[in-house]
């Protein structure tokens, strides 16, 4: 027969076991935990590393590093030394220190899927961060920085076999690309490229960079606020999405893409240019945005039988009221005759009303 004392002991033990929490999350596979952590800001992810050695290893191998969520004025970063031991917590280190320490403490063989950051830093430090990311086979590199001098893009970025997406946004003075021979022989795996505040002055050999056999698997290209581009020829054979914005000095644009499906050209072309042109040959083009662009002298839109939606608008000045400019606008609309849906902005309607008044004045 069970005594009162043993019964009490058994009940207390059962009650204690019922309150013992079972840690099921920690025993999940790394890939599953990484996916869960991906839902959190990077500061919170770093803080989980103080829980245990298991979580510390998860942080040092976390593949998606988005430092753009950090507040540069108030950052608390948890960093660890290369031996895997717990390091000291810096109360308010800079964003740049946080990035550098995180990359330095990263496990060997742990690839980086995504690295995003924005900062103001010097040439050598930026060069070191980029090279470190390339050594960890980064796939998506997104940089928004401001440097004191022109930054020369490292050759290792161009020759990387792991890089699939590259976004570069440099505040003035900007950055320089490698030579044409290096550029055309690289980026063999790149699928997405975005260049902002690019400086093309005295870089004529780069103007046909996107023509011919360059960028063999590039699917999406974005050029925004690029200075010095007067003539742009885009003919990447795998390109599906092209965006050109705020390139005010553009005089001539040629687009010939057998797989191009979406085209967006906004706030481009120099209005005072006497010889400007547009030539588009894209049999698979479905959506076209042509907004706030100066009216070019000649336009040639060929083989756009797959067009579904087109949004058209112009930036017209009083001196644009010439027969050549009106004919140019007419050619654009004629080339879009296959579009299922055509939207004309108010400026475009004003151009046609001016054209009607121009014709009546002649006759």
């Amino acid at each position: 027969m069970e005594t009162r004392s043993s019964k009490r002991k058994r009940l207390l033990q059962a009650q204690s076991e019922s309150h013992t929490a079972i840690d099921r999350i920690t025993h999940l596979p790394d890939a599953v935990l990484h996916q869960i952590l991906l839902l959190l800001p990077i500061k919170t992810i770093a803080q989980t590393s103080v829980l245990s050695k298991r979580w510390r290893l998860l942080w040092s191998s976390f593949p998606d590093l988005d430092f753009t969520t950090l507040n540069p004025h108030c950052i608390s970063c948890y960093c660890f030394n290369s031996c895997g031991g717990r390091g000291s917590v810096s109360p308010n280190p800079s964003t740049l220190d946080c990035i550098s320490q995180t990359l330095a403490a990263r496990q060997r063989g742990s690839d980086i899927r995504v690295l995003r950051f924005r900062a103001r830093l010097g040439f050598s430090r930026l060069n070191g961060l980029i090279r470190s990311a390339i050594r960890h086979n980064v796939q998506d590199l997104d940089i928004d920085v401001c440097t004191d001098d022109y930054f020369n893009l490292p050759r290792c970025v161009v020759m990387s076999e792991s890089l699939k997406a590259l976004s570069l946004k440099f505040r003035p003075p900007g950055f320089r690309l490698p030579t044409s021979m290096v550029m055309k022989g690289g980026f063999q795996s790149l699928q997405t490229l975005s260049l902002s505040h690019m400086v093309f002055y005295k870089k004529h050999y780069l103007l046909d960079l996107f023509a011919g056999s360059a960028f063999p698997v590039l699917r999406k290209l974005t050029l925004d606020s690029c200075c010095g581009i007067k003539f742009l020829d885009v003919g990447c054979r795998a390109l599906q999405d092209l965006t050109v914005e705020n390139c005010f000095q553009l005089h001539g644009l040629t687009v010939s893409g057998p797989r191009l499906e979406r085209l967006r050209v906004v706030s481009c072309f120099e209005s005072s240019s006497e010889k400007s042109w547009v030539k588009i040959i894209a049999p698979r083009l479905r959506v076209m945005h042509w907004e706030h662009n100066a009216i070019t002298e000649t336009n040639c839109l060929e083989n756009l039988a797959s067009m579904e939606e087109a949004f058209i608008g112009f930036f017209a000045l009083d001196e644009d009221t010439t027969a050549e400019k009106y004919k140019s606008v007419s050619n654009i609309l004629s080339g879009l005759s296959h579009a299922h849906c055509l939207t004309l902005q108010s400026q475009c309607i004003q151009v046609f009303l001016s054209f009607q008044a121009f014709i009546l004045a002649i006759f």
Side-chain angles (χ1 to χ4, degrees), residues 87-107:
S88 60
V89 179
S90 302
N92 287 301
S94 68
T95 304
L96 196 55
D97 290 337
C98 184
I99 300 171
S100 300
Q101 293 169 355
T102 300
L103 294 180
R106 193 162 186 82
Q107 291 183 18

Side-chain angles (χ1 to χ4, degrees), residues 14 116 136 201 215 249 319 357-358:
R116 297 190 179 98
H136 286 284
Y201 290 116
F215 299 92
Q249 298 168 320
E319 53 266 29
F358 178 79

Side-chain angles (χ1 to χ4, degrees), residues 22-87:
I22 300 176
D23 186 2
R24 300 183 184 275
I25 295 181
T26 300
H27 298 289
L28 291 173
D30 287 4
V32 176
L33 291 176
H34 284 160
Q35 193 63 30
I36 295 174
L37 292 174
L38 187 60
L39 303 174
L40 304 174
I42 195 166
K43 175 182 174 181
T44 306
I45 301 172
Q47 289 172 336
T48 63
S49 59
V50 301
L51 298 177
S52 66
K53 181 179 179 180
R54 164 78 166 130
W55 287 92
R56 186 160 62 252
L57 294 176
L58 281 171
W59 165 239
S60 63
S61 63
F62 189 67
D64 299 273
L65 302 175
D66 185 359
F67 294 97
T68 60
T69 58
L70 293 177
N71 184 345
H73 302 292
C74 183
I75 304 171
S76 180
C77 178
Y78 290 75
C79 305
F80 302 91
N81 59 43
S82 57
C83 297
R86 187 175 302 179

Side-chain angles (χ1 to χ4, degrees), residues 295 316-318 320-323 326 346-362:
I295 302 176
L317 301 176
D318 293 337
D320 289 332
T321 56
T322 63
Y326 290 134
S346 59
Q347 301 97 324
C348 193
I349 302 298
Q350 293 175 3
V351 169
F352 279 103
L353 292 177
S354 299
F355 179 57
Q356 184 180 16
F358 178 79
I359 296 297
L360 292 176
I362 295 177

Side-chain angles (χ1 to χ4, degrees), residues 118-120 144-147 149 169-175 196-197:
R118 56 172 176 258
R120 180 181 180 89
D144 182 355
V145 296
C146 178
T147 57
D149 196 2
K169 187 174 184 179
F170 280 65
R171 309 297 177 179
F175 66 99
S196 298
H197 301 278

Side-chain angles (χ1 to χ4, degrees), residues 180 200-209 228 230-231:
S180 177
F200 277 92
Y201 290 116
K202 299 181 181 180
K203 298 288 183 179
H204 301 293
Y205 62 84
L206 294 176
L207 299 183
D208 61 346
L209 179 62
K230 290 188 176 182
F231 307 103

